[in-house]
Amino acid sequence: MNKVKKLFIFDFDGVVCDSTDECMVTSWNAWQRWNGKNNFRTTLEEFTDREIDEFRPLRYYVRGAGEYYILRRLLSETNIKLIRRYEDFAIYQKKWTEEVNQFKEYIFRERSSLRERSLDDWINLHQVYPEIIDLLHEISKIDSVYIATLKDYESVKLILAKNNVFIPASKILHQAIISSKLQALDMIKDSENIEKTDIYLFDDNINHLIDPFTEGYQVYQTTWGNVPADFIDQATEKNVPLIDFKGLKQLTASIH
């Protein structure tokens, strides 16, 4: 009897690597361009401690490149101490939808500019999680891995390649292909012709997990990195299981 195939779907930002520093630089430059200014930056050292401390908590509420418009505008105009939970941030998601859609292209343009200036410096703005890189090395050999991300394909490919992880382009579902993780999982289910219960999604953002969980996919809220406490609280309230490095290794070892 043939063993049922299982697939492991990894979000990228926050799960495979921490791209907070790169997003800080890129979104700063995009905001400068948006406002007709040219005070561009290329390194983390050009930011003050206060700028870094204010950016980091808000960054985890961003879903997709365009929403850095919300983050940057909040930092420019609002008392960010009022943004304590995702629900506070979501108010502005609805309020500034049109600008978000336009700002996405500014992000991609400035990201490309940073890469062209120095690919190594750009890659070094990302901190990969060694435990996940090691796991990807192991399970990618058995053709069971997908990446589903709202990041751009080129970024994902370059960062993985720098760490000697090579996943076929057809198994990297990125922002030009998907607009949600549920859409990604549905596409994978149909192309692989397997059941929802044989697909496992690992994501650091509870807002990406709720719909897939409701639809019957196997989903896990990751706990490494700087995951906001309210994401962990929401996952617990909604019975979405939490998983750490050790639990992920045990889970994948037990079912592949």
Side-chain angles (χ1 to χ4, degrees), residues 14-69:
V15 174
V16 177
C17 80
D18 181 355
S19 65
T20 302
D21 293 347
E22 191 273 348
C23 292
M24 187 180 305
V25 175
T26 298
S27 65
W28 170 273
N29 292 342
W31 185 246
Q32 291 291 308
R33 184 86 63 186
W34 178 273
N35 288 287
K37 300 178 181 179
N38 59 5
N39 182 24
F40 302 124
R41 298 175 178 178
T42 59
T43 67
L44 192 66
E45 287 71 29
E46 295 170 83
F47 293 85
T48 66
D49 290 343
R50 178 178 176 178
E51 287 173 328
I52 293 171
D53 290 343
E54 290 181 340
F55 180 92
R56 288 184 182 278
L58 293 181
R59 185 260 172 191
Y60 267 88
Y61 298 139
V62 169
R63 295 189 295 174
E67 290 192 1
Y68 283 102
Y69 173 87

Side-chain angles (χ1 to χ4, degrees), residues 72-216:
R72 283 293 167 196
R73 186 165 173 181
L74 286 174
L75 290 176
S76 297
E77 300 180 1
T78 307
N79 180 358
I80 63 166
K81 291 182 180 179
L82 299 176
I83 311 299
R84 297 180 178 178
R85 295 175 60 87
Y86 173 74
E87 287 78 7
D88 301 325
F89 188 84
I91 293 171
Y92 298 94
Q93 285 177 320
K94 297 176 182 178
K95 187 176 180 181
W96 294 335
T97 299
E98 183 176 345
E99 290 88 346
V100 163
N101 292 334
Q102 296 173 356
F103 195 69
K104 178 167 62 174
E105 297 307 317
Y106 283 74
I107 289 286
F108 294 145
R109 190 183 313 164
E110 296 307 319
R111 180 166 287 150
S112 294
S113 178
L114 284 172
R115 281 201 296 254
E116 291 168 5
R117 180 185 177 93
S118 173
L119 180 58
D120 284 342
D121 287 346
W122 175 80
I123 288 179
N124 288 335
L125 287 170
H126 304 79
Q127 286 76 51
V128 298
Y129 297 109
E131 297 90 341
I132 302 303
I133 294 298
D134 289 345
L135 183 62
L136 290 177
H137 280 144
E138 179 182 345
I139 62 178
S140 62
K141 297 174 184 177
I142 58 172
D143 197 31
S144 294
V145 175
Y146 277 80
I147 300 291
T149 177
L150 297 182
K151 201 174 186 69
D152 60 288
Y153 170 73
E154 191 70 12
S155 293
V156 175
K157 180 187 73 172
L158 289 169
I159 295 166
L160 290 177
K162 181 72 173 182
N163 291 277
N164 296 311
V165 177
F166 300 98
I167 296 174
S170 62
K171 295 194 172 186
I172 300 177
L173 305 186
H174 50 89
Q175 64 84 28
I177 297 175
I178 62 170
S179 59
S180 72
K181 299 303 170 65
L182 177 58
Q183 181 187 13
L185 299 188
D186 285 343
M187 291 172 64
I188 293 167
K189 178 180 69 70
D190 292 343
S191 66
E192 296 277 0
N193 192 28
I194 64 175
E195 300 297 323
K196 293 179 179 180
T197 51
D198 296 321
I199 297 177
Y200 297 75
L201 171 65
F202 309 104
D203 201 300
D204 66 320
N205 190 328
I206 184 61
N207 298 293
H208 291 158
L209 295 170
I210 294 172
D211 288 344
F213 181 70
T214 302
E215 291 295 320

